[in-house]
């Protein structure tokens, strides 16, 4: 009988090839399976989204409605307290704008929420109630500074959310509310800064502490006058019917039509 001699190295070669195939497969897996994995943009957008006659209503949309309602629940009493207690006209005026603006905005958000079937809270959050207690306990200049800065920081936070919702919502009612809220919040920010009590360094440091990327832009000034940039404008003979926004720089118009519902 002829003796069969095993071929050495075949098993090793097979193992190596199998290992390479497995490695390539593992590397390729995230690529071909990515569309099916949770956490993608589309999956995040669809999570918790429901259909309405005014367009899809996302989880972010509903969170926005709740935050608008919560803002009014604590900022209206904060504004009323400022009108009653503040010794300066600037702080009283800021308080007046808080009352008027959030009373109007609260009416609008309650109407939108009713149409969309979104439940709204009836009490400020524990943190917001703590801010009200802090204001109640403060006196004199401490009260005025606390009022101006506490409210200015709160409006800055919701200002960013408004921009996000106004840009990305697919729901027409939420989009209109975001437009209204943008005007109200910008008006309040302007009034609070007009008190002269806002600590811009503290706000900037607070924002920088949560930033995740280094800013980009032109290099720091070196003391020399930079070249004057060319004006931007159309070429040729053009005419238009639109005009710049009315009012001097820094002014905010809060006139707006009644919501279309």
């Amino acid at each position: 009988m002829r003796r069969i001699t095993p071929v050495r190295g075949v098993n090793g070669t097979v193992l190596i090839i199998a290992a390479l195939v497995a490695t390539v497969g593992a590397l390729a897996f995230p690529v071909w399976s990515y569309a099916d994995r949770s956490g993608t943009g589309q999956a995040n957008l669809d999570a918790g989204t429901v259909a309405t006659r005014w367009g899809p209503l996302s989880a972010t949309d509903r969170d926005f409605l709740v935050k608008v309602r919560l803002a009014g629940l604590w900022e209206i009493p904060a504004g009323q307290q400022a009108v009653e207690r503040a010794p300066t006209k600037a702080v009283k005026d800021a308080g007046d704008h808080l009352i008027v603006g959030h009373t109007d905005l609260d009416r609008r958000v309650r109407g939108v929420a009713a149409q969309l079937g979104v439940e709204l809270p009836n009490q400020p959050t524990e943190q917001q109630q703590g801010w009200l207690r802090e204001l109640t306990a403060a006196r004199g200049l401490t009260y005025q500074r606390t009022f101006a800065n506490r409210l200015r920081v709160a409006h800055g936070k919701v200002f960013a959310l408004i921009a996000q919702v106004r840009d990305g919502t697919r729901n027409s009612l939420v989009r209109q509310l975001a437009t209204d809220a943008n005007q109200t919040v910008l008006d309040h920010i302007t009034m609070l800064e007009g008190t002269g009590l806002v600590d811009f360094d503290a706000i900037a440091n607070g924002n920088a502490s949560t930033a995740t990327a280094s800013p980009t832009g032109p290099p720091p000034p070196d003391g020399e006058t930079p070249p004057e940039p060319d004006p931007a404008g159309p070429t040729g003979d053009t005419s238009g019917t639109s005009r710049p926004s009315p009012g001097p720089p820094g002014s905010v118009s809060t006139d707006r039509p009644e919501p279309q519902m």
Side-chain angles (χ1 to χ4, degrees):
M1 177 181 293
R2 182 181 178 184
R3 184 177 180 182
I4 300 175
T5 303
V7 180
R8 298 182 180 278
V10 172
N11 290 342
T13 302
V14 171
L15 290 175
I16 292 173
I17 293 174
L20 288 173
V21 171
T23 301
V24 172
L27 292 173
F29 176 78
V31 177
W32 63 259
S33 67
Y34 188 76
D36 298 324
R37 295 171 64 196
S38 62
T40 64
Q42 188 63 49
N44 291 337
L45 184 63
D46 293 339
T49 296
V50 296
T52 77
R53 58 179 288 198
W54 298 277
L57 181 71
S58 70
T60 300
D61 294 336
R62 298 193 297 275
D63 182 57
F64 169 66
L65 298 183
V66 170
K67 282 185 167 56
V68 170
R69 167 69 171 170
L70 286 171
L73 289 176
W74 88 274
E75 291 178 23
I76 291 174
Q80 185 172 354
Q81 191 179 89
V83 170
E84 296 171 351
R85 293 181 52 191
T88 63
K89 184 178 185 300
V91 175
K92 286 181 181 293
D93 288 346
D96 176 73
H97 278 241
L98 291 181
I99 296 171
V100 174
H102 280 292
T103 299
D104 173 72
L105 206 55
D106 186 74
R107 177 175 62 88
R108 294 171 185 266
V109 72
R110 285 186 290 109
V112 170
Q115 290 182 280
L116 295 174
V118 176
E119 183 179 0
L120 297 178
N122 285 314
Q123 294 292 332
T125 66
E126 286 295 327
Q127 184 182 49
Q128 291 167 339
Q129 293 179 45
W131 292 338
L132 286 171
R133 290 192 294 269
E134 180 184 22
L135 289 171
T136 300
R139 295 290 184 273
L141 184 58
T142 299
Y143 166 76
Q144 295 185 83
R145 291 189 183 280
T146 302
F147 169 83
N149 286 280
R150 200 54 98 183
L151 272 299
R152 172 58 180 81
V153 169
H155 280 81
K157 299 297 184 185
V158 77
F159 203 36
L161 175 62
I162 292 170
Q164 176 190 350
V165 171
R166 180 62 181 80
D167 175 57
T169 185
R170 295 174 289 171
N171 188 283
S172 60
L173 287 183
V174 174
R175 189 178 302 114
Q176 181 59 55
L177 181 66
T179 299
D180 296 338
N182 181 74
Q183 292 177 285
T184 298
V185 171
L186 181 57
D187 171 66
H188 293 175
I189 286 175
T190 304
M191 295 301 297
L192 291 164
E193 292 175 351
T195 64
L197 300 170
V198 172
D199 188 344
F200 292 103
D201 287 336
I203 293 175
N205 288 331
N207 292 337
S209 67
T210 59
T212 58
S214 299
T216 59
D222 57 5
E224 300 293 331
T225 301
E228 183 177 352
D230 297 329
T235 59
D237 184 14
T238 61
S239 61
T241 59
S242 62
R243 294 292 178 265
S245 299
S251 65
V252 180
S253 172
T254 54
D255 293 333
R256 52 181 180 259
E258 289 298 307
Q260 301 299 312
M261 298 183 180

